[in-house]
Amino acid sequence: MSVSGSESEASRRSSKKPKYSKFTQQELPACKPLLTPGIVIGAFSLIGIVFVPIGLASLSASQEIVELVDRYDEECVTASDKIGFIQDTKVNKACTRKITVPKPMKGPIHIYYQLENFYQNHRRYVKSRSDQQLRSKDYKDPKAVIKSCDPEATTGDGSLIVPCGLIAWSLFNDTYAFSVNKKEVQVNKKNIAWASDKNSKFGSDVFPINFQKGGLIGGGNLNDKLPLSEQEDLIVWMRTAALPTFRKLYGRIESDIMASDEITVVIQNNYNTYSFGGTKALVLSTASWIGGKNNFIGIAYVAVGGICLFLAMGFVVLYVIKPRTLGDPSYLSWNKEDAGYSH
Amino acid sequence: MSSDRPLTDAASPHPPASQLPPPQPEPPVRADPLGFSVEVPDPFRPPLRDQPDPTASQPELLQQEDAAESRAVAVGEPSAEFAGNAIRTAKYSALTFLPRNLFEQFRRLSYLYFLAITVLNQLPQVAVFGRGASALPLAFVLLVTAVKDAYEDLRRHRSDRAENNRLAAVLSAPPAAAEFAPRKWKHLRVGDVVRVESSETLPADMVLLATSDATGVAHVQTVNLDGETNLKTRYARQETQLRFSRDGGVGGVLHCERPNRNIYGFQANLEIDGKRVSLGPSNIVLRGCELKNTAWAIGVVVYAGKDTKVMLNNSGPPSKRSRLETQLNRETVILSIMLIGMCTTASVLAGIWVLNHRGELEFTQFFREKDYTTGKNYNYYGIGMQIFITFLMAVIVYQVIIPISLYISMEMVRLGQAYFMGADLDLYDKSSSSKFHCRALNINEDLGQIKYVFSDKTGTLTENKMVFQCASVHGVDYSSAKDTSGYSVVVDDLLFTPKMAVRTDPQLLKMLRNGGSDEEAKLVLDFFLALAACNTIVPLVLDTKDPRQKLIDYQGESPDEQALAYAAASYGIVLVERTSGYVMIDVLGDRQRFDILGLHEFDSDRKRMSVIIGCPDKTVKLYVKGADSSMFGITNKELDNVLATKAHLHKYSSLGLRTLVVGMRELSQPEFLDWQSAYENASTSVLGRGNLLRSVATNIEGNIHILGATGIEDKLQDGVPEAIESLRQAGMKVWILTGDKQETAISIGYSCKLLTNDMTQIVINNSSKESCKKSLEEALATTKELRVASSVGTLNPESSGVILALIVDGNSLVYILETELQEELFKVATECSVVLCCRMAPLQKAGVVALIKNRTDDMTLAIGDGANDVSMIQMADVGVGISGQEGGQAVMASDFSMGQFRFLVPLLLVHGHWNYQRMGYMILYNFYKNATFVLVLFWYVLYTSFTLTTAINEWSSLLYTVLYTSLPTIVVGILDKDLSKSTLLAYPKLYGTGQRNEKYNVNLFVLNMLEALWQSLVVFYIPYFAYRQSTIDMSSLGDLWALASVIIVNMQLAMDIFRWNWIIHAFVWGTIAATAICLFVIDSIWFLPGYGAIFHVMGTGLFWLLLLIIIVAAMVPHFVIKAFTEHFNPSDSQIAREMEKFGALNQVNRAEIPMRTVS
């Protein structure tokens, strides 16, 4: 409501006129892609031509991997009361398995344990951990009880557990000793965990306290003298698996194993999967760029590539059977209607 | 406006015809030749009482009775009883901001839903996300809105403060010396006497007491109030003017109405010196107006602060909801059902799982029921509770399926669209330098679905610039005007020329100039005197470059009157000055003074106006002008003259001209005195004054001698016929609703090509219900007959289609609207391709719009420019105001405003089409993208023993809607164009896309949901099968899923974008890059479980192989559907797009297309 003279009014008025620019008039140079028959057929063909070879390469890579899986949870417990057997701390749980190698395996050979029906992604379980505690200098402070670790935050008398939480508590503790053709083979357990976890996530000055002293033993124990950053089995275990059937790296055998060699494994069958109907298996596998042995990815590539080639041909046929001139105004609905009337 | 100066020193006032009522009955500074003295009537007398009864007790008694309806103001004695002048447009203060702003924000339902989810997440048993993280999106949205609101409010505070602290010169209260001292506006009170200088803004609504002009005239500009730029004249009453110049002060008590929002109405009276003086709208000046052309003015504050008319009128346009937004609710319900379904599935399965593992939970490492510290169960309350908690958690996790962010995105898209509509040069009117304005920000997309256009005529289709074309004087037609030589007046060596010259008829001119005392010539002179005097025009003098030459500019509110005054001036009867009491007219070089003794303003009942003039020869004459229908009823019975004039009128109106009839009568002395006393009584009464004045006018306006008639051309605006043709081609029905009479309406219909000669016209013009019913039934029968005929005719291409036009008269509508007959009218009207409604009252216009709006699903648009179009603009789904000549009310009530009718074509066909297409796509896309993500989360829950774990990091889950996927859809919603402007204008039928709901419907929604289902399955299951029985950890797999989902939904968008300019490129690819960066950042935080995961997993070849195949496999169906429908079932838009790209080129290549690809 300010006073405005005729000049200022005039200038205000002329400034009301929108300024011309390609942006304001929405006329920026633009690319207008259209799905012409050429592009459609070309795209499908290209995908087919790229995908089928990738699929075949993946399949052959997967085929070259030698993978030995030995489920041992059933055979290693002979007692009828499996849960009673596994919970009895005094029984000798050693169990010997013999595996014959069908094809030569080049080192390093990865040793995995595979659990089935073990929900490491259960919500209750995933949340029961403390990343702060794993590398905190103040981990010993008795006041630093971590609520998120419940129900495994403290022992019965309220003193602190390090590392706390259900994940650490349920540490897998079966052990494997290998010999090939009766000759003992060393298992390399170094560097089985991610370097980033060892360096930054687990403290080199954090040592276990009161571990497995919470009233119920959930799994393996830890060496009180070693800092957490060197407890690689724990670090591997605490990278919780995404799916209920999972493998975790146990160690590596650096040497090659020939075909028809016999591997003898002495298993300390300590870990309780019997309570919830889980299974345990030992896996030996050679390495490849594609990861573990899995034909799925190769098959999927070949399938998708094949479908795309098929679609390319299908569209060729369709375009031949029912061609349409692009941009022909006679296809506009009102022109079609007019045409309809005149017939 | 500094050059605007009254012609002489004494200002030249006038009350505008339609709005400013009672003129000054008592010409000032003049010995009254007729010597009338009138008893001052009692102002609070009930309207029906005839005799004034000025007893002392009576007014007080009545004053008490009427206290509820009036306020008493003691002039010069400020009263604290009424609202002060401080205004407050700001909503909040520092203290109330937080609670009130939050309250305002949570009135939106979607925010409440958001809040409920967040609160739910704070319960420890149910918490899915971290407490802080879950509150983040809501807090973000609230904060952004709060900052925006706070900023706006701060600006309001500032402007309030600036406004309140402005200074006004106020007369000191009695004990102090009577002088004007500056005081802040906010300290002004009702009753204060304020002095305003030229070009100053008025601080409050004030009754004028005195002005620098001796006759008490002041000019004000009301552009801030109603958008009108012409000057309005206001008067101080002579009584106060005299007293002020005598004593320098004014006493008295003023009684006025209670505050109301009627800008054009004011009734009050002032008790001063034992007299009662009546005051009307011409005596009040309103806050926000500027004083112009007047050195100073003094007034008494009657309404202050929030009681002022400008503040009472300070309400925004009505809020409307767009069609898409209403339809979107249906899909939201479907999604809610899906949400409940998913939550129920997850919770029931969770219950079954717990049931099956009931005995094992204690020794199951990943569950462990018991907390050995306390010895009790930890977070486990039995199966029933487990199901319930899982359900609540599922609601939190899956709530995103109802896209809350969609509402915010829609707001932003509309803001962007509004910007581009405003910036479009095609919608900018150079002549009035007005650009397009989006006043309502929530119905942009409705512009793309209009089926009915209701248009006002005057000022909308026509320019409302009237040009005098021809005259019929005393039964002789003078319509051969050719000569445009103007006529000028010489006064004191200065040459005064009217601003506009009108073509004159040489014969008429000759008769006027040379006639002498001939009876015929006297009639001609009277005719032009009537044109010059019987109006409310104010002549203003403008300087030209030549200092000796001046321009006379006739300012007035009725363009017809301006045209008539210019016409009279061209014939040599020049109105040079107007004051409240007299007009100076230069009659063929001889300056004469005519006293205005009374003026009966125009009203829609009488449809005429009249003035009573004291002529220099001491005769008193009544001049009347008005519509033919109203004038022929009050003539004396000179049949020849009347019949000849009627014939000419018929001729004029069939030429499309607006006609007025002019008449006069000489009043005898007793007749005049009778009238005068009645007029005085009527014009000083406060209540019912309008009715009284009307009856006084009706009494005097009789036995009129017809002087003649005028024909004024109402010029069509530029491009109107073409625009109407485009709109009709686009499948819209154009209806004209006008207040003009039938013949004018039909002639305008022809001139704007709405009506053509091959149409069959159905006219409904009746004056009783029965006859209306009869003609409606006949009309229905006709339409049926013709439809049968035309359907037979389609077999024969020669006679396909008979086009019907319906012409309805306002009188008939009285009997049709709001009765059972309107159903029949609706049937007839929808059969006709053209409908013209004439002689419409404003509410009837709204009634006709409602007739269509309530009976069909079709969208309606009303366009108009005048106050009489306001109701129709508010009734229609979309209201468009023309910012033209008739003032700002239509614009104030409208949703969109622009300068010209023809802009409707680019607005609807181009911007409407774009807006609808963009908004429809954006809504569907938002549903699709959120559904895809939620379904990916849902599939994972099936493999976590149904415990609502998300592999995707909780931060990513929250950022998905906010950051990962929101910006590209907003940018595409603002910038993408399916077709270019030129194509849309060249093929108006492409507008049918919106009318047929092609871009947003249930089928498209279902298709989008199926695509979401397929893509979520691909995203989830390809990695699932690839990583089954592997060492993959949750965080790595979650990162893959998150990245793949984001890329896929952005690819889907990319496939559907029509035009890639650099901005769209930047946003689509930038968003994908930003997502990757976010994942890197999140996985670089050591205390999150996913630390390092993305770096680790990206180091494996399998990750990239999976990402590639997920994208391809997910997109193939969409690509196939798109390629197939675009080629084998193309929409009109698709064909037009191909025409844009290939034009006629491909005609040649027809056979080669498949060949080329095979080779």
Side-chain angles (χ1 to χ4, degrees):
Chain A
M1 296 189 186
S2 66
V3 181
S4 58
S6 56
E7 273 111 323
S8 72
E9 188 147 16
S11 68
R12 186 175 60 87
R13 288 211 148 187
S14 65
S15 74
K16 270 171 78 183
K17 180 172 181 177
K19 298 229 163 46
Y20 174 83
S21 79
K22 288 206 151 144
F23 174 71
T24 58
Q25 301 309 306
Q26 306 195 56
E27 285 164 3
L28 286 175
C31 157
K32 298 179 275 183
L34 269 184
L35 291 185
T36 58
I39 289 178
V40 172
I41 293 162
F44 280 129
S45 310
L46 182 77
I47 293 171
I49 290 164
V50 172
F51 270 40
V52 172
I54 294 180
L56 294 175
S58 307
L59 266 181
S60 80
S62 173
Q63 288 299 322
E64 274 169 27
I65 295 171
V66 185
E67 186 184 80
L68 308 173
V69 182
D70 181 50
R71 180 176 166 183
Y72 62 85
D73 55 305
E74 292 287 328
E75 278 88 30
C76 284
V77 181
T78 45
S80 56
D81 177 14
K82 292 193 166 82
I83 298 172
F85 172 83
I86 206 81
Q87 283 176 335
D88 189 343
T89 47
K90 294 174 190 84
V91 188
N92 176 17
K93 292 180 183 133
C95 167
T96 308
R97 308 281 302 163
K98 288 187 165 45
I99 305 161
T100 313
V101 178
K103 278 200 275 183
M105 295 173 87
K106 259 181 85 67
I109 299 159
H110 295 271
I111 306 160
Y112 302 98
Y113 52 90
Q114 176 175 320
L115 298 182
E116 206 178 316
N117 277 340
F118 191 102
Y119 287 89
Q120 259 205 323
N121 56 17
H122 194 285
R123 174 161 199 88
R124 192 179 163 90
Y125 182 80
V126 169
K127 297 278 157 190
S128 184
R129 65 186 286 161
S130 166
D131 291 286
Q132 272 81 5
Q133 190 200 48
L134 292 176
R135 77 166 209 179
S136 167
K137 287 189 184 65
D138 305 323
Y139 70 99
K140 281 185 207 162
D141 183 357
K143 276 177 254 160
V145 174
I146 287 142
K147 197 85 187 85
S148 69
C149 284
D150 278 341
E152 187 66 15
T154 58
T155 60
D157 57 3
S159 51
L160 203 68
I161 296 173
V162 179
C164 69
L166 288 184
I167 304 181
W169 169 77
S170 62
L171 176 65
F172 185 77
N173 60 347
D174 285 5
T175 58
Y176 312 111
F178 293 87
S179 49
V180 177
N181 298 337
K182 307 275 159 53
K183 215 175 97 211
E184 198 180 324
V185 175
Q186 273 302 311
V187 175
N188 178 7
K189 289 191 66 96
K190 284 267 170 265
N191 296 328
I192 55 172
W194 294 2
S196 59
D197 280 355
K198 285 199 287 178
N199 297 338
S200 311
K201 207 165 175 60
F202 290 78
S204 57
D205 46 2
V206 180
F207 295 87
I209 302 169
N210 290 334
F211 193 66
Q212 298 294 11
K213 298 205 172 92
L216 182 71
I217 294 169
N221 214 331
L222 293 173
N223 184 348
D224 288 355
K225 303 290 176 296
L226 273 179
L228 292 186
S229 62
E230 287 171 36
Q231 312 253 17
E232 292 204 39
D233 281 324
L234 176 75
I235 298 176
V236 169
W237 181 253
M238 288 194 75
R239 270 270 148 223
T240 50
L243 298 168
T245 302
F246 62 88
R247 292 173 184 180
K248 290 204 174 283
L249 191 56
Y250 177 81
R252 294 186 195 88
I253 296 171
E254 302 292 348
S255 53
D256 299 350
I257 301 175
M258 299 302 123
S260 70
D261 281 357
E262 192 181 62
I263 305 174
T264 311
V265 194
V266 179
I267 299 170
Q268 290 297 323
N269 183 21
N270 300 321
Y271 200 69
N272 180 7
T273 54
Y274 303 95
S275 301
F276 55 88
T279 69
K280 295 192 282 192
L282 172 69
V283 179
L284 295 175
S285 170
T286 57
S288 151
W289 61 271
I290 198 146
K293 188 178 182 71
N294 191 336
N295 292 340
F296 173 78
I297 191 76
I299 292 166
Y301 263 88
V302 172
V304 170
I307 288 170
C308 284
L309 286 176
F310 174 77
L311 283 169
M313 287 186 287
F315 270 98
V316 169
V317 173
L318 283 174
Y319 288 138
V320 171
I321 292 173
K322 209 183 164 201
R324 178 172 78 81
T325 314
L326 294 184
D328 182 352
S330 65
Y331 284 93
L332 290 166
S333 62
W334 55 90
N335 290 340
K336 275 194 259 177
E337 275 162 27
D338 290 353
Y341 283 129
S342 62
H343 287 293
Chain B
M1 303 292 243
S2 55
S3 60
D4 292 3
R5 194 165 54 75
L7 193 57
T8 57
D9 283 339
S12 38
H14 86 110
S18 55
Q19 290 141 0
L20 290 186
Q24 310 305 300
E26 191 181 347
V29 223
R30 182 174 72 95
D32 191 342
L34 300 160
F36 58 77
S37 68
V38 183
E39 268 184 312
V40 178
D42 177 1
F44 291 103
R45 182 189 57 189
L48 290 176
R49 287 182 58 176
D50 289 321
Q51 291 306 308
D53 184 12
T55 53
S57 62
Q58 195 73 359
E60 275 167 45
L61 188 81
L62 282 159
Q63 219 162 303
Q64 279 168 354
E65 279 178 12
D66 292 331
E69 289 174 35
S70 69
R71 59 160 61 172
V73 179
V75 178
E77 289 166 40
S79 154
E81 185 188 344
F82 309 113
N85 199 38
I87 54 154
R88 190 179 154 77
T89 55
K91 279 193 207 155
Y92 317 107
S93 71
L95 213 64
T96 61
F97 179 76
L98 204 63
R100 283 199 61 183
N101 184 256
L102 285 180
F103 176 74
E104 288 280 320
Q105 291 202 40
F106 280 116
R107 278 167 56 179
R108 280 173 232 173
L109 203 63
S110 53
Y111 283 23
L112 270 184
Y113 173 76
F114 228 157
L115 180 72
I117 299 286
T118 311
V119 167
L120 207 56
N121 194 55
Q122 304 306 310
L123 304 175
Q125 287 83 6
V126 185
V128 175
F129 302 115
R131 290 182 187 184
S134 69
L136 195 86
L138 179 62
F140 176 75
V141 171
L142 288 178
L143 188 76
V144 168
T145 317
V147 166
K148 192 193 95 206
D149 288 351
Y151 175 70
E152 280 175 0
D153 210 50
L154 201 68
R155 285 197 357 193
R156 272 185 234 120
H157 269 293
R158 280 211 200 107
S159 75
D160 282 358
R161 206 176 307 135
E163 185 92 358
N164 284 333
N165 288 343
R166 291 171 78 167
L167 294 177
V170 179
L171 189 69
S172 313
E179 58 180 15
F180 287 96
R183 201 190 299 170
K184 286 183 177 169
W185 279 21
K186 61 180 167 190
H187 296 135
L188 284 185
R189 294 241 156 242
V190 171
D192 270 329
V193 176
V194 179
R195 181 188 158 106
V196 184
E197 308 278 329
S198 182
S199 290
E200 275 186 355
T201 307
L202 295 156
D205 292 356
M206 309 195 296
V207 166
L208 279 178
L209 297 175
T211 72
S212 54
D213 180 82
T215 54
V217 170
H219 295 272
V220 288
Q221 193 179 41
T222 56
V223 64
N224 287 330
L225 220 57
D226 56 11
E228 295 181 33
T229 51
N230 55 353
L231 295 187
K232 302 225 169 85
T233 316
R234 297 291 184 262
Y235 315 87
R237 288 300 301 239
Q238 212 54 43
E239 290 83 352
T240 58
Q241 174 88 26
L242 286 173
R243 178 153 168 188
F244 183 81
S245 52
R246 197 174 64 227
D247 330 339
V250 182
V253 177
L254 200 143
H255 299 279
C256 59
E257 310 164 288
R258 279 191 306 167
N260 61 61
R261 53 192 303 180
N262 181 3
I263 304 181
Y264 301 116
F266 177 68
Q267 294 196 348
N269 66 34
L270 178 67
E271 253 173 85
I272 181 170
D273 300 336
K275 280 215 295 181
R276 259 173 220 284
V277 184
S278 76
L279 300 168
S282 58
N283 304 112
I284 188 169
V285 286
L286 304 179
R287 180 180 180 134
C289 301
E290 276 178 40
L291 194 66
K292 293 278 187 188
N293 286 353
T294 311
W296 52 262
I298 286 167
V300 58
V301 176
V302 287
Y303 305 124
K306 64 179 169 61
D307 291 341
T308 55
K309 307 221 179 229
V310 63
M311 296 304 284
L312 289 170
N313 274 289
N314 218 340
S315 63
S319 73
K320 295 176 181 171
R321 282 187 88 187
S322 85
R323 169 71 51 94
L324 278 189
E325 209 168 319
T326 321
Q327 287 177 342
L328 168 161
N329 285 340
R330 181 186 56 204
E331 276 70 45
T332 310
V333 170
I334 300 176
L335 287 172
S336 307
I337 295 169
M338 271 174 75
L339 173 67
I340 293 169
M342 283 161 64
C343 295
T344 311
T345 312
S347 54
V348 167
L349 288 174
I352 291 171
W353 189 88
V354 174
L355 193 70
N356 288 344
H357 295 77
R358 220 173 350 181
E360 310 161 358
L361 294 177
E362 174 54 27
F363 297 118
T364 302
Q365 281 96 330
F366 56 84
F367 194 95
R368 209 184 87 178
E369 214 170 356
K370 231 176 213 170
D371 185 345
Y372 288 91
T373 318
T374 58
K376 289 181 187 150
N377 280 351
Y378 169 75
N379 260 3
Y380 178 74
Y381 316 97
I383 292 171
M385 199 64 185
Q386 208 71 13
I387 290 177
F388 180 65
I389 289 175
T390 310
F391 186 86
L392 292 185
M393 283 163 69
V395 171
I396 297 175
V397 175
Y398 303 143
Q399 46 113 345
V400 199
I401 201 168
I402 297 169
I404 309 282
S405 62
L406 174 61
Y407 292 95
I408 300 159
S409 302
M410 280 167 75
E411 296 291 310
M412 297 177 79
V413 166
R414 285 176 183 143
L415 217 62
Q417 291 174 344
Y419 167 77
F420 280 113
M421 287 193 275
D424 191 344
L425 285 168
D426 287 353
L427 297 179
Y428 173 74
D429 184 25
K430 284 188 200 76
S431 57
S432 64
S433 63
S434 57
K435 66 179 203 178
F436 180 83
H437 276 287
C438 255
R439 298 177 48 82
L441 267 178
N442 45 0
I443 56 170
N444 288 352
E445 57 271 21
D446 281 353
L447 291 172
Q449 297 190 280
I450 304 296
K451 274 202 184 155
Y452 283 90
V453 173
F454 298 94
S455 174
D456 175 38
K457 187 187 75 67
T458 313
T460 307
L461 297 176
T462 61
E463 277 182 14
N464 204 18
K465 276 182 190 150
M466 307 297 169
V467 182
F468 178 86
Q469 287 292 340
C470 44
S472 147
V473 184
H474 201 70
V476 185
D477 179 20
Y478 302 95
S479 51
S480 53
K482 289 184 191 79
D483 188 16
T484 48
S485 68
Y487 183 84
S488 304
V489 191
V490 181
V491 182
D492 304 338
D493 288 345
L494 290 176
L495 189 69
F496 290 89
T497 315
K499 198 176 169 188
M500 204 169 76
V502 171
R503 293 189 301 174
T504 49
D505 183 277
Q507 204 190 337
L508 188 58
L509 199 62
K510 198 172 137 205
M511 186 176 290
L512 188 63
R513 300 241 168 110
N514 311 335
S517 60
D518 188 326
E519 182 65 19
E520 190 109 293
K522 199 166 164 293
L523 282 171
V524 173
L525 181 65
D526 267 325
F527 176 75
F528 284 108
L529 275 177
L531 296 191
C534 182
N535 56 38
T536 56
I537 293 292
V538 191
L540 287 181
V541 172
L542 307 174
D543 291 320
T544 56
K545 281 173 195 153
D546 181 356
R548 292 185 44 226
Q549 212 172 3
K550 304 279 179 188
L551 274 184
I552 303 178
D553 180 16
Y554 289 129
Q555 284 266 347
E557 284 167 42
S558 155
D560 292 86
E561 290 190 346
Q562 281 176 310
L564 294 178
Y566 281 121
S570 294
Y571 281 98
I573 317 292
V574 189
L575 173 69
V576 283
E577 183 191 350
R578 174 185 293 270
T579 68
S580 51
Y582 61 90
V583 288
M584 279 298 217
I585 297 178
D586 189 295
V587 184
L588 302 165
D590 175 24
R591 241 165 176 241
Q592 296 184 10
R593 170 174 159 150
F594 294 83
D595 294 314
I596 306 239
L597 303 172
L599 189 148
H600 296 288
E601 60 174 307
F602 181 88
D603 66 55
S604 49
D605 289 352
R606 276 162 51 236
K607 294 202 173 103
R608 57 180 180 257
M609 76 167 290
S610 57
V611 282
I612 292 174
I613 295 224
C615 296
D617 59 3
K618 302 287 185 248
T619 55
V620 178
K621 283 179 184 164
L622 168 79
Y623 287 116
V624 196
K625 75 172 200 302
D628 51 357
S629 58
S630 76
M631 290 296 285
F632 287 121
I634 55 165
T635 53
N636 60 5
K637 306 299 173 200
E638 290 177 302
L639 265 180
D640 291 352
N641 184 12
V642 168
L643 282 179
T645 312
K646 272 190 178 169
H648 295 153
L649 283 171
H650 187 75
K651 179 183 156 199
Y652 295 167
S653 56
S654 62
L655 286 170
L657 301 178
R658 295 161 73 92
T659 55
L660 278 174
V661 177
V662 182
M664 69 159 284
R665 179 154 69 97
E666 206 169 313
L667 299 183
S668 64
Q669 188 73 359
E671 215 176 356
F672 171 70
L673 288 175
D674 278 355
W675 165 81
Q676 194 172 37
S677 76
Y679 183 67
E680 286 288 302
N681 283 346
S683 58
T684 47
S685 79
V686 167
L687 298 172
R689 185 192 291 165
N691 284 331
L692 284 178
L693 279 171
R694 200 172 305 142
S695 69
V696 172
T698 318
N699 285 339
I700 194 78
E701 290 163 353
N703 197 21
I704 295 295
H705 171 70
I706 295 292
L707 287 171
T710 57
I712 297 171
E713 188 191 0
D714 189 0
K715 278 191 147 175
L716 274 189
Q717 286 192 3
D718 282 351
V720 165
E722 295 82 356
I724 288 181
E725 180 57 27
S726 279
L727 295 179
R728 289 181 56 197
Q729 281 205 2
M732 279 175 258
K733 289 191 172 178
V734 182
W735 293 30
I736 294 184
L737 313 180
T738 175
D740 283 326
K741 55 183 173 292
Q742 194 174 317
E743 297 76 26
T744 322
I746 291 178
S747 71
I748 288 288
Y750 276 112
S751 62
C752 61
K753 307 259 168 64
L754 197 61
L755 289 176
T756 49
N757 284 325
D758 55 358
M759 288 181 178
T760 311
Q761 291 186 7
I762 301 173
V763 179
I764 296 178
N765 183 355
N766 306 97
S767 48
S768 75
K769 192 165 179 179
E770 285 68 37
S771 53
C772 280
K773 191 171 179 185
K774 203 172 151 218
S775 47
L776 274 174
E777 278 163 2
E778 279 169 15
L780 259 181
T782 318
T783 57
K784 275 199 192 115
E785 218 171 89
L786 285 171
R787 201 168 27 163
V788 171
S790 68
S791 67
V792 172
T794 50
L795 297 175
N796 174 12
E798 303 300 323
S799 67
S800 66
V802 175
I803 308 167
L804 288 171
L806 176 69
I807 293 128
V808 194
D809 183 86
N811 284 339
S812 322
L813 283 177
V814 172
Y815 305 103
I816 296 173
L817 291 179
E818 315 268 314
T819 66
E820 69 278 3
L821 288 182
Q822 59 179 359
E823 195 58 50
E824 313 218 327
L825 176 68
F826 171 74
K827 278 186 203 147
V828 177
T830 44
E831 287 293 326
C832 298
S833 51
V834 174
V835 179
L836 280 177
C837 301
C838 38
R839 291 206 230 212
M840 302 282 283
L843 273 176
Q844 285 185 327
K845 290 188 177 187
V848 170
V849 175
L851 182 75
I852 296 299
K853 193 179 158 187
N854 297 340
R855 278 178 180 71
T856 63
D857 275 341
D858 301 337
M859 301 284 288
T860 54
L861 177 146
I863 179 166
D865 73 323
N868 58 340
D869 305 317
V870 167
S871 57
M872 139 175 119
I873 284 174
Q874 288 178 336
M875 172 62 74
D877 294 304
V878 178
V880 180
I882 298 277
S883 39
Q885 305 225 323
E886 275 192 37
Q889 280 158 304
V891 170
M892 300 283 268
S894 68
D895 306 306
F896 304 96
S897 72
M898 55 192 188
Q900 296 266 335
F901 178 81
R902 72 183 139 95
F903 293 167
L904 214 49
V905 175
L907 178 67
L908 298 183
L909 300 194
V910 179
H911 287 287
H913 178 95
W914 285 343
N915 291 347
Y916 168 72
Q917 188 277 124
R918 292 161 173 173
M919 191 60 86
Y921 182 76
M922 196 192 78
I923 295 171
L924 287 172
Y925 175 76
N926 270 274
F927 284 144
Y928 145 83
K929 79 174 169 71
N930 284 20
T932 307
F933 187 71
V934 166
L935 285 171
V936 170
L937 294 178
F938 181 73
W939 306 134
Y940 186 55
V941 165
L942 304 182
Y943 299 92
T944 63
S945 66
F946 320 105
T947 54
L948 278 311
T949 321
T950 54
I952 298 171
N953 183 291
E954 65 183 43
W955 288 95
S956 286
S957 304
L958 295 167
L959 286 175
Y960 180 83
T961 46
V962 181
L963 179 68
Y964 295 174
T965 56
S966 62
L967 289 179
T969 141
I970 293 174
V971 171
V972 168
I974 296 172
L975 291 180
D976 197 20
K977 302 191 294 182
D978 61 340
L979 288 165
S980 73
K981 188 182 270 183
S982 51
T983 311
L984 288 169
L985 289 176
Y987 297 94
K989 286 195 164 130
L990 291 171
Y991 189 74
T993 310
Q995 292 168 334
R996 294 189 295 266
N997 291 325
E998 270 177 22
K999 294 289 178 180
Y1000 186 88
N1001 51 48
V1002 175
N1003 291 347
L1004 282 177
F1005 174 75
V1006 171
L1007 181 68
N1008 269 281
M1009 285 300 122
L1010 289 177
E1011 284 181 349
L1013 182 68
W1014 165 253
Q1015 296 185 1
S1016 70
L1017 286 170
V1018 168
V1019 170
F1020 180 81
Y1021 278 103
I1022 288 185
Y1024 172 79
F1025 285 117
Y1027 282 126
R1028 215 165 31 143
Q1029 300 178 351
S1030 80
T1031 58
I1032 193 72
D1033 62 292
M1034 265 172 75
S1035 307
S1036 302
L1037 194 53
D1039 286 341
L1040 173 60
W1041 280 331
L1043 193 61
S1045 311
V1046 170
I1047 292 178
I1048 280 174
V1049 297
N1050 279 299
M1051 288 302 290
Q1052 173 102 354
L1053 182 69
M1055 263 192 204
D1056 293 340
I1057 290 172
F1058 298 108
R1059 253 159 230 250
W1060 287 86
N1061 58 39
W1062 66 268
I1063 302 173
I1064 290 180
H1065 273 293
F1067 272 91
V1068 172
W1069 310 126
T1071 296
I1072 294 176
T1075 305
I1077 291 169
C1078 279
L1079 291 176
F1080 290 147
V1081 169
I1082 290 169
D1083 279 357
S1084 302
I1085 301 169
W1086 65 266
F1087 57 80
L1088 292 180
Y1091 178 74
I1094 188 131
F1095 305 103
H1096 193 263
V1097 76
M1098 276 189 170
T1100 64
L1102 190 56
F1103 175 86
W1104 298 105
L1105 280 183
L1106 286 171
L1107 199 59
L1108 180 65
I1109 197 173
I1110 288 171
I1111 294 168
V1112 169
M1115 298 322 296
V1116 161
H1118 186 64
F1119 193 74
V1120 170
I1121 292 170
K1122 210 171 147 66
F1124 192 85
T1125 52
E1126 282 188 6
H1127 201 271
F1128 299 104
N1129 187 18
S1131 65
D1132 290 340
S1133 311
Q1134 174 63 24
I1135 300 283
R1137 222 168 6 252
E1138 291 166 4
M1139 284 159 64
E1140 269 179 20
K1141 191 156 178 172
F1142 302 110
L1145 262 176
N1146 261 46
Q1147 221 73 9
V1148 191
N1149 294 349
R1150 181 171 223 155
E1152 294 174 23
I1153 296 158
M1155 304 281 286
R1156 191 175 47 196
T1157 49
V1158 171
S1159 58

